[in-house]
Amino acid sequence: MKSRRDGEMEKRSRNLVFKPEKVRLGQKELLVWERDPEKGLICRTIPYNTMVLVYPEVHDEKTGEIITPEIQDITKDMKGSLIIWDLERKMFRIDLSDQKESAGTVFIRLARHIPFAFLGYTPWIQIQNDQDFRQMLKMIALNKKLNS
């Protein structure tokens, strides 16, 4: 049986897909520029302090499958997308396949800016599960409290 709170989290869960022209790391946020047919080049931002889970999603050339590597398996030459889940459980899929820097390189650089997020795919916790998501938020809050 789902609680009212579980339903609220489901409503907030949504996916946003970007195929940017460029991606830059700012002081407090990830900057994603993409072309809008009506508005031209626009910049979207994802603040570092809102990131909960970040990992690359890459194409395995040997098997042809899409994989989500754990932190210890991520390398700078991994090509594909960067997946970012935020505090509202929005998922941002940033397709970096046409970028100069690979998904692995951007992930490694981004990891330096987000000390409290989960980095790399975590098979032991599923962000889509309401209970797991709440647990992740508690663990991030505790980590922030202990390190402030």
Side-chain angles (χ1 to χ4, degrees):
M1 183 173 173
K2 289 185 179 179
S3 71
R4 182 173 160 234
R5 190 171 181 176
D6 290 341
E8 288 172 5
M9 284 195 171
E10 277 184 4
K11 288 177 194 171
R12 290 188 303 212
S13 180
R14 56 190 181 264
N15 301 333
L16 302 170
V17 179
F18 301 114
K19 187 144 177 86
E21 288 194 14
K22 62 182 175 177
V23 175
R24 297 290 182 266
L25 292 131
Q27 288 187 349
K28 296 184 179 188
E29 59 202 4
L30 182 67
L31 308 167
V32 182
W33 279 273
E34 65 179 347
R35 180 102 17 219
D36 181 282
E38 296 173 8
K39 299 177 185 174
L41 191 62
I42 57 172
C43 181
R44 302 187 189 276
T45 61
I46 307 170
Y48 300 139
N49 65 357
T50 66
M51 296 179 186
V52 173
L53 174 63
V54 180
Y55 56 88
E57 187 178 75
V58 298
H59 180 260
D60 184 331
E61 294 183 17
K62 293 178 185 173
T63 65
E65 297 177 341
I66 300 295
I67 60 169
T68 51
E70 293 182 50
I71 186 77
Q72 69 273 10
D73 299 323
I74 298 170
T75 63
K76 64 180 168 93
D77 58 339
M78 292 182 155
K79 294 180 172 40
S81 298
L82 188 63
I83 307 299
I84 300 171
W85 290 86
D86 74 0
L87 292 169
E88 296 179 351
R89 203 168 15 174
K90 284 187 291 200
M91 186 194 78
F92 301 88
R93 178 183 310 276
I94 304 169
D95 181 352
L96 299 171
S97 58
D98 294 335
Q99 297 296 310
K100 183 178 180 179
E101 289 187 307
S102 69
T105 297
V106 174
F107 170 83
I108 291 166
R109 291 181 54 228
L110 179 60
R112 295 182 190 125
H113 292 276
I114 49 174
F116 301 113
F118 287 82
L119 300 173
Y121 180 70
T122 54
W124 53 273
I125 195 164
Q126 299 297 313
I127 198 164
Q128 298 90 343
N129 176 286
D130 289 335
Q131 184 176 353
D132 284 359
F133 182 67
R134 283 192 294 274
Q135 188 64 34
M136 290 175 88
L137 295 180
K138 285 180 188 177
M139 290 166 49
I140 288 170
L142 178 61
N143 194 7
K144 284 180 179 179
K145 185 177 178 180
L146 291 172
N147 289 290
S148 61

